[in-house]
Amino acid sequence: MTTIKKLFFYAFALLSLTSIIYGMAYDYMNGAEIHYDFYGAFFVCWLIFFGILKAILGI
């Protein structure tokens, strides 16, 4: 069961990191201004969320 928890945790983390990278690439490709403070805050929020999730799952 621990392996499934770890797999879920890391797959979800990879998905969220991919979404951040996709958002930045999408803004770049459309010529929009990239708000690094927004993406930085988004990344920090995900780090906090995954820290809490890691504590709950006991990984």
Side-chain angles (χ1 to χ4, degrees):
M1 190 63 163
T2 306
T3 306
I4 294 172
K5 287 181 183 179
K6 284 185 180 181
L7 184 64
F8 168 76
F9 179 78
Y10 290 120
F12 194 50
L14 184 63
L15 178 68
S16 68
L17 185 61
T18 305
S19 71
I20 293 171
I21 293 169
Y22 172 77
M24 291 179 76
Y26 185 79
D27 284 349
Y28 178 76
M29 289 170 57
N30 287 324
E33 181 180 349
I34 298 175
H35 297 280
Y36 292 105
D37 54 345
F38 171 75
Y39 290 112
F42 189 56
F43 182 71
V44 169
C45 288
W46 276 114
L47 284 178
I48 293 169
F49 173 75
F50 282 115
I52 293 170
L53 186 65
K54 192 172 183 179
I56 289 172
L57 292 176
I59 297 174

